[in-house]
């Protein structure tokens, strides 16, 4: 866990701090499969999950929101033991280990909650920092869907499916 | 296409014919990741998709519903060019090529609609007939999530992710 970064449950009051970097990251078109112009109500509904799912924020000592993560079951029924998670770090606070702290938290949450594995459905292969981070947290690239992602700048690139047991 | 089998758009009036085999297939717990006891309103909402997605039925010359398929985008945004599809064949009408006819229809639909690929997120590895059918239609096992599916009779088995370009 990163010193000076606290991870706590997100509340409705955190959304106005999340939305600016959420919107910027989605609009950039290089990491997420959300529609680039997804509106605020839809974005809030996609991100701010109700229990038993979980949405958290990473905050610094002053309470500034540095990033956020959501965690949930990735499948239903007989595959409901596979968790999923998504992560957003405010680019203004990148490179400080916020993503790693959120990733470690998500893995711990999933394990503690009783999930047996965690699956990332769509990690853009050109997002090499994220890929390396997830690998360092024990995730494996299970496959790469060829031309799975239409990168705004680079055109069609591969989409990794990453997975780890818990 | 199987002689004597017509595939047409499903209407609300078809649901009562779909629901009995849908319920039986889901309750069997060996092929689908839907909750085994999923109730009828939820099942109908999951299966009977509105445009631009598509739900079809396979019917015989007498109008009997033999099976059904739903087709949709598997991802949003920059991966929205990857389609998905799900298939149910009434066990009473299995072994007649209904699944193949529905699969061919879904691939054609996706290609015609402008999708560039089709991805199946969760094909149970012990469902060998389905796996062989999708392979014969050009799908490849991209990876197998170990212990991804809790089979009602066999315990934890692998979950294939299958994919083909269009």
């Amino acid at each position: 866990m990163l010193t000076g970064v606290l991870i706590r449950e997100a509340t409705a009051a955190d959304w106005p701090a999340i939305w600016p970097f959420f919107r910027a990251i989605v609009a950039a078109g290089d990491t997420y499969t959300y529609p680039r112009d997804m509106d605020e109500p839809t974005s809030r509904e996609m991100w701010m999950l109700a229990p038993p799912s979980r949405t958290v924020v990473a905050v610094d000592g002053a309470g500034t929101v540095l990033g956020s993560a959501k965690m949930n079951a990735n499948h239903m029924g007989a595959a409901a033991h596979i968790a999923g998670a998504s992560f957003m770090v405010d680019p203004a606070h990148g490179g400080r280990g916020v993503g790693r702290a959120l990733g470690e938290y998500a893995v711990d949450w999933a394990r503690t909650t009783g999930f047996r594995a965690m699956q990332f459905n769509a990690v853009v292969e050109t997002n090499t920092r994220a890929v390396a981070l997830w690998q360092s947290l024990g995730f494996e690239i299970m496959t790469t869907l060829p031309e799975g992602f239409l990168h705004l700048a680079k055109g069609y690139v591969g989409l990794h499916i990453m997975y780890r047991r818990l």
Side-chain angles (χ1 to χ4, degrees), chain A residues 1 6 11 15 21 26 32 35 37 40 43 46 60 68 73 76 90 94 102 108 122 127 135 144 148-149 155 157 161:
Chain A
M1 195 66 67
L6 172 73
T11 71
W15 175 250
F21 65 81
V26 171
Y32 262 84
D37 59 352
E40 183 177 352
S43 299
M46 299 284 295
D60 65 14
S68 180
M76 299 182 293
D90 185 343
L102 288 167
D108 287 346
N127 188 6
Q135 287 176 319
T144 305
F149 187 86
V157 298
I161 293 168

Side-chain angles (χ1 to χ4, degrees), chain A residues 36-111:
Chain A
R36 288 185 54 230
D37 59 352
M38 192 160 68
D39 65 25
E40 183 177 352
T42 307
S43 299
R44 189 174 58 232
E45 191 183 332
M46 299 284 295
W47 198 259
M48 303 297 278
L49 303 181
S53 300
R54 186 165 179 83
T55 300
V56 299
V57 286
V59 298
D60 65 14
T64 302
V65 174
L66 310 173
S68 180
K70 70 180 174 84
M71 295 146 245
N72 46 271
N74 204 325
H75 297 269
M76 299 182 293
H81 56 284
I82 305 175
S86 300
F87 304 87
M88 297 258 186
V89 176
D90 185 343
H93 300 287
R96 290 174 50 180
V98 176
R100 175 176 299 276
L102 288 167
E104 288 174 351
Y105 183 98
V107 167
D108 287 346
W109 171 84
R111 188 189 289 115

Side-chain angles (χ1 to χ4, degrees), chain A residues 2-4 13 21 25 27 32 36 45 50 52 59 73 83-84 93 95 97 112 114 124 130 141 145 158 160-161:
Chain A
L2 181 68
T3 309
F21 65 81
I25 289 167
Y32 262 84
R36 288 185 54 230
E45 191 183 332
V59 298
H93 300 287
T112 305
V124 182
I141 297 171
L145 304 180
H160 295 320
I161 293 168

Side-chain angles (χ1 to χ4, degrees), chain A residues 126-140:
Chain A
T126 50
N127 188 6
T128 51
R129 251 172 58 174
V131 172
L133 173 57
W134 306 143
Q135 287 176 319
S136 79
L137 293 180
F139 289 84
E140 189 182 341

